[in-house]
Amino acid sequence: MTYELLAQTPSVADFRRLREVAGLSTKTQEAAERGLKGTLFAVVILSEGRTVAMGRVIGDGGCHYQIVDMAVEPEHQGRGLGKRIFAALMDWLHENAPKSAYVSLIADGDARHLYAKYGFEPVMPASIGMAQWIGGRPAKGT
């Protein structure tokens, strides 16, 4: 199977589908439409012309950046696609983010091992991540 990595923001439909099938929280159509407009940089991976993986960088473009929406379709997992996406996002950050920029992410499960290879480390006990979901906690993909 061949894969093509492209520097582009996923479509709303692909974004919502990939989040769901990868087990991330679901997003409404409105939330996805608004949120994707705020992408600073994104990559998708295509297989036979179909988007099967994605990752994005969001933030203020100067002080704060966050890596989000790392998602790979289950049938394409274990083939290094997450590593390819993460490397592309980190290359972009190193080329575009100014010195002193703070880059954060939420590491779910074993993904923390991949992120650690790129220099990410837990912020506890000095800091702790906190969150709130407007309208209640969204459902996870199935």
Side-chain angles (χ1 to χ4, degrees):
M1 191 165 294
T2 60
Y3 294 103
E4 180 182 13
L5 186 140
L6 300 174
Q8 68 183 43
T9 302
S11 70
V12 170
D14 285 335
F15 171 82
R16 293 184 69 211
R17 177 182 54 78
L18 283 172
R19 285 190 59 87
E20 184 173 345
V21 301
L24 303 177
S25 60
T26 59
K27 299 297 177 194
T28 65
Q29 181 79 17
E30 179 185 13
E33 289 171 356
R34 287 187 188 190
L36 289 173
K37 290 178 185 174
T39 301
L40 296 176
F41 179 72
V43 295
V44 297
I45 293 184
L46 306 180
S47 175
E48 299 176 6
R50 184 172 176 273
T51 302
V52 298
M54 68 176 177
R56 298 190 310 136
V57 175
I58 61 173
D60 65 13
C63 297
H64 303 280
Y65 297 81
Q66 188 172 28
I67 296 173
V68 297
D69 303 321
M70 290 285 297
V72 179
E73 284 186 353
E75 56 269 27
H76 297 277
Q77 291 176 2
R79 299 179 184 179
L81 302 184
K83 291 176 187 170
R84 286 180 63 187
I85 290 169
F86 202 75
L89 299 179
M90 291 306 299
D91 287 348
W92 184 87
L93 283 162
H94 285 290
E95 292 170 10
N96 292 279
K99 288 183 180 179
S100 83
Y102 183 81
V103 181
S104 63
L105 53 79
I106 300 295
D108 293 331
D110 287 337
R112 70 182 181 277
H113 301 297
L114 169 62
Y115 305 147
K117 290 178 183 177
Y118 288 87
F120 285 82
E121 55 189 56
V123 295
M124 286 197 50
S127 301
I128 184 169
M130 299 177 75
Q132 181 184 93
W133 290 268
I134 304 301
R137 190 177 187 126
K140 291 258 185 174
T142 54

